[in-house]
Amino acid sequence: MSLLGNIIWVLFGGFILGLGYILGGLILCLTIVGIPFGIQVMKLGLFAMLPFGGQVFPTQKASGCLALLLNVLWIICGGIELAIAHLSLGVIFCITIVGIPFGMQHFKLAMLALMPFGHEVVRK
């Protein structure tokens, strides 16, 4: 099921979405200050390309004041807009029965887009 879902996801815009995230991450990595944010954006981009079969879990090692500070900076500098966009798309997709699996993937992406530091993606 996850293979079919990923194929449909990629055909209907998931590849372009992930490519946009990865390109943004590469641009953020041009500065030393932006490297941690660029790495998180690229992690989000790879997950956005193939979201079916992946789960977002909090990490044990990355919790603490540094992750909290970076998440606050992330939210202020654009993370809230990404999360709202994914939540909006999730609600739109969940209106129809056929779109519910795709809406659920957008909800997972919204959680990662809101607070990427201290979370990891685990593939089944």
Side-chain angles (χ1 to χ4, degrees), residues 20-88:
Y21 278 131
I22 291 173
L23 182 64
L26 289 174
I27 291 171
L28 281 170
C29 285
L30 292 176
T31 64
I32 292 174
V33 175
I35 289 174
F37 299 102
I39 291 171
Q40 296 304 317
V41 171
M42 286 189 273
K43 179 174 74 171
L44 183 62
L46 290 175
F47 185 52
M49 279 191 185
L50 302 170
F52 288 90
Q55 294 291 325
V56 179
F57 292 108
T59 59
Q60 301 296 331
K61 62 181 179 179
S63 61
C65 62
L66 182 60
L68 177 68
L69 176 67
L70 290 173
N71 276 328
V72 168
L73 286 173
W74 174 267
I75 289 170
I76 292 170
C77 295
I80 192 79
E81 288 88 359
L82 288 175
I84 289 172
H86 282 295
L87 283 174
S88 301

